[in-house]
Amino acid sequence: MKIIIVGAGEVGYHIASRLAFENKDVVVIDKSMEAIRRITENLDVQGITASGSSPETLEQAGIRQAEILLAVTDSDEANLVACLMADMLSPATRTLARIRNAHYDNYHDAFKAAPPHINTVINPEIEVVKTIHRLMKIPAAVDMGELVEGRVKFVGLRLDKHSPMAGVRLKDFASMFGQTRPLIAAVVRRQELIIPRGEHRLEVGDLVYFICENERLKETVALFDTTTIPLRRVMIVGGGRIGERLATLLEKQSIHTKIIEADMDRCHVLSEGMSKAVVLHGDGSDQNLLLEENVGDADVVVALTNDEETNILVSLLAKNLGARSTITKVSKFSYIPLMSTIGLQKVVSPRLSAISSILHDVRKGKVLSAISVLGEEAEMIEAMALETSAVTGRPLKKISFPKGAILVSIIREDAIMIPSGESVVEPGDRIIIFARRQVVHKLEKMLTVKLEFF
């Protein structure tokens, strides 16, 4: 698979890193010589210092042989032009553009329609707002995603000492909890990611990742000795595009919302656009301001400024002043593994959302969705089982899944099943697989062709 990436920023770099690791043929284009030097010195990819929207540059990169072009520069307009030009030069090449400006929201379908067209348009800010909203509903949740059009939830929760699951082996879950038992996909214990088997016991303090049907979410969460609590008051620090999108969503649900924004001009824009949210001008990291605005009464404080350090400080202050829950926006990937060590469990990243969306589009086989987990340590993959794939037609116990991957659920028509060794995946089934990053490329092959790799 040959893939051209236009843009060597953080998203472009990490996408190139993932794809090169999976032995894909990657070409990266960027106008910055320094960015190209960084990417070619650290990764096994080809780099071109030029404009990715130039037809001459696209020809040089091999656009006519490329299966996919990903346009992920910091300019929406450059991404649009690169994709449209690529479609004109090579209609067989699939194109994906990252577009963040809300002014384009109503035109995504138009971009996909008339030729030249763009196959996929992603806005990671929209996905981040969805993630924040899901996390708000379960204050104890560290991570949360959706699969199977929202029918299945993927949740990460800390195991409390009062939980009935503490100290229990996974193979005993069926006898203890019956059909209400959660499907445990992964456990993080002392910073180590574990793909658990039947003999594994859950321990207090484990970060447990599980999946469950949407209608069973509340009762499953209760097994962790936590509850879902109605959302009433939200404080947003940072009134940029993500803050504005989130406030607009909360207004529609009649949730009392305050926005603190440091830029006066931006405050005026927000005040004109908001109908119910209270817009305040000030420094969200000012402890006195937070006290004046009763931050301790907030159900959730969401730190969404454009400065990582400010977001971290705001979340720590809010927790110290009594806020029930905090959500912190972090863009630097190097910060994400450190957040739990300082007590900030809920972290969202627009860049990570972009990577998840892009990987879903790139994956071979009939992949329907892919969620990055623990930064970039692993993926939760939802795929359609093809007749030609190595996972169909035989009991699971006879299929050699790569070490570091586990099939956690089979969805057949309206039934969501917990698989056993005797289970057989049929063509047309949806399957959900949790996998470490290192084995994803092997899973791709298994999902595509009937071959034994181990």
Side-chain angles (χ1 to χ4, degrees):
M1 177 181 276
K2 179 167 187 171
I3 299 171
I4 297 174
I5 301 174
V6 179
E10 285 296 308
V11 170
Y13 182 93
H14 281 83
I15 286 290
S17 173
R18 294 286 288 272
L19 298 177
F21 182 83
E22 296 167 17
N23 299 316
K24 292 181 171 61
D25 182 6
V26 180
V27 181
V28 182
I29 305 170
D30 197 286
K31 291 189 287 187
S32 167
M33 186 178 296
E34 183 179 342
I36 291 297
R37 184 185 298 115
R38 175 194 176 214
I39 212 165
T40 53
E41 287 179 352
N42 291 290
L43 307 176
D44 184 18
V45 303
Q46 178 188 349
I48 299 175
T49 305
S51 169
S53 57
S54 161
E56 182 179 337
T57 303
L58 291 174
E59 292 278 18
Q60 179 188 350
I63 187 64
R64 298 182 194 278
Q65 293 78 45
E67 292 189 39
I68 303 174
L69 178 133
L70 309 173
V72 293
T73 75
D74 288 333
S75 165
D76 290 346
E77 291 74 19
N79 294 340
L80 285 169
V81 173
C83 286
L84 295 174
M85 187 58 64
D87 191 62
M88 291 172 62
L89 295 172
S90 177
T93 301
R94 286 190 292 130
T95 54
L96 178 148
R98 179 179 68 164
I99 299 176
R100 294 178 290 183
N101 197 315
H103 294 156
Y104 291 116
D105 284 359
N106 295 328
Y107 298 92
H108 288 191
D109 290 337
F111 291 141
K112 299 175 188 177
H117 73 292
I118 303 170
N119 295 97
T120 306
V121 176
I122 64 165
N123 188 327
E125 295 178 356
I126 292 176
E127 296 306 314
V128 164
V129 170
K130 290 179 182 178
T131 300
I132 292 170
H133 191 242
R134 287 193 294 265
L135 288 171
M136 285 178 170
K137 294 179 181 178
I138 304 178
V142 173
D143 199 359
M144 200 166 174
E146 291 184 344
L147 300 159
V148 198
E149 289 86 37
R151 289 170 52 204
V152 174
K153 291 290 191 292
F154 169 57
V155 187
L157 281 171
R158 291 281 175 191
L159 193 64
D160 188 270
K161 64 182 178 181
H162 301 296
S163 169
M165 291 190 294
V168 177
R169 293 181 301 180
L170 296 194
K171 69 178 187 179
D172 297 328
F173 269 38
S175 59
M176 288 188 66
F177 308 116
Q179 288 302 312
T180 63
R181 68 190 186 276
L183 302 173
I184 308 298
V187 175
V188 179
R189 182 177 297 159
R190 292 182 284 276
Q191 307 302 316
E192 180 188 357
L193 175 64
I194 301 168
I195 308 291
R197 303 295 176 181
E199 292 296 330
H200 277 95
R201 292 183 186 272
L202 297 184
E203 296 181 5
V204 172
D206 283 350
L207 173 54
V208 180
Y209 283 91
F210 68 91
I211 66 170
C212 71
E213 295 177 68
N214 186 48
E215 54 265 31
R216 290 181 174 171
L217 181 59
K218 288 186 178 181
E219 59 187 286
T220 303
V221 167
L223 294 176
F224 288 80
D225 196 44
T226 188
T227 56
T228 55
I229 301 172
L231 193 64
R232 297 166 301 170
R233 296 178 180 275
V234 175
M235 179 179 288
I236 300 171
V237 178
R241 290 193 301 254
I242 297 176
E244 183 178 11
R245 287 180 186 274
L246 178 60
T248 301
L249 176 62
L250 296 175
E251 276 192 339
K252 293 177 181 176
Q253 299 174 344
S254 299
I255 295 169
H256 185 268
T257 306
K258 289 182 180 179
I259 307 173
I260 300 177
E261 168 58 43
D263 183 88
M264 180 61 82
D265 292 337
R266 182 62 181 164
C267 284
H268 289 312
V269 172
L270 291 168
S271 296
E272 291 173 3
M274 298 288 113
S275 58
K276 298 177 183 177
V278 177
V279 180
L280 303 166
H281 175 247
D283 178 2
S285 62
D286 182 342
Q287 181 170 320
N288 291 328
L289 176 60
L290 293 177
L291 286 170
E292 288 174 10
E293 297 305 325
N294 301 313
V295 67
D297 293 336
D299 295 314
V300 185
V301 175
V302 191
L304 296 174
T305 76
N306 292 323
D307 183 82
E308 337 267 325
E309 289 77 13
T310 299
N311 291 340
I312 293 169
L313 178 58
V314 166
S315 293
L316 290 172
L317 278 171
K319 283 189 67 175
N320 191 52
L321 295 173
R324 181 143 49 97
S325 177
T326 64
I327 300 174
T328 315
K329 187 189 82 168
V330 174
S331 294
K332 291 179 183 175
F333 292 106
S334 59
Y335 281 14
I336 293 175
L338 305 174
M339 299 298 282
S340 62
T341 63
I342 61 173
L344 300 181
Q345 301 286 352
K346 297 188 184 185
V347 178
V348 295
S349 168
R351 288 173 177 168
L352 207 54
S353 292
I355 289 171
S356 291
S357 299
I358 291 167
L359 287 175
H360 161 219
D361 207 64
V362 169
R363 293 282 174 241
K364 283 185 176 178
K366 193 74 171 178
V367 175
L368 304 174
S369 61
I371 303 172
S372 291
V373 183
L374 296 171
E376 297 178 279
E377 285 294 310
E379 286 184 39
M380 183 68 78
I381 298 171
E382 176 193 351
M384 185 74 73
L386 303 175
E387 189 171 356
T388 57
S389 76
V391 300
T392 57
R394 290 179 298 163
L396 292 180
K397 66 182 181 182
K398 294 185 178 181
I399 298 174
S400 298
F401 279 91
K403 186 177 181 182
I406 182 171
L407 193 152
V408 293
S409 187
I410 301 170
I411 298 93
R412 184 172 300 151
E413 297 177 350
D414 291 329
I416 298 173
M417 297 175 284
I418 301 173
S420 67
E422 302 297 331
S423 300
V424 177
V425 176
E426 298 178 0
D429 286 350
R430 291 192 187 198
I431 55 176
I432 298 174
I433 301 173
F434 186 87
R436 292 179 183 272
R437 179 185 65 169
Q438 293 88 338
V439 301
V440 167
H441 66 289
K442 296 176 183 176
L443 277 175
E444 278 191 293
K445 294 177 183 177
M446 293 188 73
L447 293 172
T448 308
V449 293
K450 281 189 180 295
L451 290 174
E452 285 288 354
F453 297 98
F454 302 92

